[in-house]
Amino acid sequence: MANSITKTKFQEIKEKTEKFIVGNYSRHEISFEYGVGEYLFDSEGKQYLDFQSGIAVTNLGHSEADIIAALQEQADKLFHTSNLFYSKEQAELAETLIAHSFPGKVFFCNSGTEANEAAFKLARKHSVKKGISNPIILALKGSFHGRSTGAMSMTGQEKVRQGFGDLVSGFHFIQENDIEDLEKAFSKHSGHIAGMIVEPILGEFGVLPIREEFLKRARELTASEGAPLIFDEIQTGMGRTGKLFCFQHYSFTPDIMTLAKGLGSGFPMGAVIIGEKFSNVLEPGSHGTTFGGNHLAAKIGYETIRVLKTRDILNNVPALSEFFFKRLKMLQLKFPETIREVRGIGLHIGVELTIPVKSIIKKCLENGLILNGTNEKVIRILPPLNIGIERIDEAVSIIEKVFEGENLK
Ligand SMILES: Cc1ncc(COP(=O)(O)O)c(C=O)c1O
């Protein structure tokens, strides 16, 4: 007998997903079909305001014309050859990354995890070359650096580390924003320190900015050990905080910076910017990847930076951010028992609640607003950098309506 119940497009996608794809993600009951600017449209035609940007990836919104044109132009010519040959696109992207960050060289890879893995290997290799027998890398307790064995071992958050048996040894975790703990770690491991890795804003830990004094002290202490200070700018980079890179808010420079997410505007790619002091540590054979910085990825990365730097996008972020914070703080005044703190830099915003955010995120989605929950009680807001101020108003009004509907105080 023929099945008389017609499935929706979404039901078909969901059924196949559950049958054929590993269940390591908990997914919302939505499948998107296309996107235009700050809007996404699902399989059933419903429109959403995207204030998650694929977790800080589509910083220019969806279907950005110049990115599509660059992709199409390159796709017509050449996708991939391998790192056994020179590449014009790769060389040009490296040149522009260095011009906009600090003097040094670039290593290309395919994701944030791989960028951190490369930085980790570089730091260890450098210290072993120096004759350090048991190198220690310092990281933060609330950090998230990725899911490979190395990047996971470098991650402080227990929930990421648990369940895999013994991890890579040689890490010491410091309490974020605690200068005393930072200094203690440096004096305990002095002479053995291979490097320190820091996210300037702990994204997966609830959008927690690291204070400038702490970062500055980390800069001084790593310099005195001759060890690299590594900034993980995978989430904070590519304009998210209003500067191309978050370190540019401060008066000092890291030795190494890892990038991914927004670098490819949705095309998977990663990069490690390695300052001059450390740029010759990785020699032929010591590290590599097949795809890293292939012609297509590099072309899109270059175009992403060109668009960010030549349009008035970054200059507008402070005003957008100020308006967003003002509206969210007004919301906090209305719901003082529910909203504990509004924090972040630029358009990297966290709203910490006193309650879990899961059902709030779900209700916002039902009302056509895509947000992201992180660290259980934090609403993470990552809109495209080129949105209009009216969209911010619209988003906060949806959050307000959801709070009211839930009878929050
Ligand atoms: C700060 C930070 N580092 C590393 C990663 C890992 O990047 P990927 O998921 O591209 O491997 C992430 C991803 O969320 C991140 O936010």
Side-chain angles (χ1 to χ4, degrees):
M1 201 176 83
N3 189 351
S4 58
I5 303 165
T6 321
K7 287 181 200 155
T8 64
K9 267 204 239 176
F10 174 71
Q11 281 165 336
E12 281 184 19
I13 296 164
K14 186 178 172 184
E15 259 180 42
K16 274 191 201 160
T17 301
E18 293 189 341
K19 191 161 177 200
F20 297 115
I21 299 181
V22 171
N24 59 321
Y25 300 108
S26 48
R27 301 174 192 265
H28 295 290
E29 300 275 307
I30 299 170
S31 172
F32 294 112
E33 222 162 76
Y34 65 98
V36 182
E38 63 269 49
Y39 291 107
L40 278 171
F41 297 84
D42 74 10
S43 51
E44 317 308 305
K46 183 175 167 184
Q47 176 177 314
Y48 298 79
L49 186 54
D50 182 6
F51 272 33
Q52 183 194 38
S53 301
I55 324 181
V57 170
T58 48
N59 289 354
L60 298 170
H62 302 281
S63 310
E64 162 56 46
D66 284 357
I67 301 294
I68 294 173
L71 182 138
Q72 285 175 339
E73 188 194 320
Q74 189 57 43
D76 279 342
K77 278 202 266 179
L78 191 60
F79 280 36
H80 177 86
T81 50
S82 86
N83 284 309
L84 299 178
F85 301 95
Y86 287 85
S87 153
K88 172 174 172 278
E89 291 75 27
Q90 208 179 82
E92 286 178 349
L93 174 57
E95 182 184 33
T96 198
L97 279 168
I98 294 299
H100 291 299
S101 58
F102 44 86
K105 289 184 178 173
V106 183
F107 169 78
F108 288 111
C109 52
N110 312 292
S111 68
T113 296
E114 282 180 51
N116 284 335
E117 194 73 31
F120 160 57
K121 280 182 71 178
L122 187 155
R124 288 271 283 249
K125 184 117 191 141
H126 175 252
S127 63
V128 169
K129 276 185 176 174
K130 268 193 352 189
I132 297 176
S133 53
N134 52 343
I136 300 288
I137 292 183
L138 306 174
L140 301 183
K141 286 189 176 162
S143 61
F144 178 78
H145 297 299
R147 304 244 183 208
S148 65
T149 317
M152 174 175 66
S153 303
M154 197 149 68
T155 291
Q157 291 188 61
E158 262 320 305
K159 64 175 188 242
V160 179
R161 300 164 59 84
Q162 271 166 12
F164 296 94
D166 290 346
L167 301 186
V168 180
S169 59
F171 293 99
H172 176 119
F173 295 103
I174 297 166
Q175 187 63 45
E176 45 275 352
N177 284 329
D178 183 340
I179 293 183
E180 211 181 302
D181 200 33
L182 175 74
E183 289 175 344
K184 255 202 271 171
F186 271 89
S187 61
K188 180 171 179 202
H189 298 293
S190 184
H192 296 275
I193 292 171
M196 176 166 178
I197 183 160
V198 189
E199 293 162 77
I201 302 173
L202 298 174
E204 303 300 309
F205 194 59
V207 192
L208 185 72
I210 299 301
R211 285 205 307 273
E212 186 171 356
E213 312 87 82
F214 182 94
L215 294 170
K216 197 159 172 248
R217 193 71 187 117
R219 173 64 292 180
E220 288 161 4
L221 292 166
T222 43
S224 68
E225 285 285 329
L229 176 65
I230 305 161
F231 266 31
D232 175 342
E233 292 234 25
I234 287 156
Q235 201 164 130
T236 55
M238 304 311 295
R240 181 52 49 199
T241 67
K243 305 263 186 200
L244 191 57
F245 305 114
C246 189
F247 83 83
Q248 290 163 335
H249 289 282
Y250 313 118
S251 56
F252 48 87
T253 303
D255 298 297
I256 295 174
M257 175 169 65
T258 55
L259 298 175
K261 289 193 182 275
L263 178 58
S265 287
F267 196 90
M269 69 177 308
V272 188
I273 318 286
I274 306 160
E276 279 169 333
K277 250 195 257 168
F278 301 94
S279 59
N280 294 321
V281 174
L282 295 175
E283 325 102 343
S286 61
H287 195 56
T289 151
T290 299
F291 291 122
N294 81 5
H295 299 270
L296 208 47
K299 179 78 179 185
I300 296 169
Y302 182 90
E303 190 60 14
T304 300
I305 296 177
R306 195 195 64 75
V307 171
L308 276 171
K309 291 303 288 187
T310 54
R311 289 199 209 146
D312 233 7
I313 296 174
L314 298 181
N315 289 341
N316 290 335
V317 169
L320 293 169
S321 175
E322 197 185 322
F323 181 72
F324 218 144
F325 273 85
K326 209 161 92 191
R327 285 290 274 114
L328 289 169
K329 286 193 169 156
M330 278 161 63
L331 203 67
Q332 187 181 20
L333 288 177
K334 188 165 170 188
F335 300 98
E337 288 176 35
T338 306
I339 300 183
R340 184 175 282 155
E341 192 180 26
V342 180
R343 59 185 180 235
I345 305 176
L347 292 173
H348 196 287
I349 301 171
V351 181
E352 184 174 343
L353 306 188
T354 51
I355 54 166
V357 295
K358 201 170 170 191
S359 66
I360 309 275
I361 302 289
K362 190 164 174 275
K363 287 269 157 43
C364 285
L365 274 173
E366 286 166 15
N367 283 278
L369 173 66
I370 308 170
L371 297 170
N372 175 244
T374 176
N375 207 15
E376 208 188 336
K377 291 185 179 165
V378 179
I379 301 175
R380 178 169 40 180
I381 309 178
L382 301 161
L385 306 176
N386 49 1
I387 37 155
I389 216 148
E390 333 72 64
R391 297 287 90 80
I392 295 175
D393 212 35
E394 195 181 324
V396 179
S397 300
I398 294 174
I399 301 172
E400 187 170 1
K401 188 173 135 194
V402 166
F403 275 31
E404 282 167 357
E406 296 285 289
N407 291 320
L408 299 177
K409 296 211 168 86

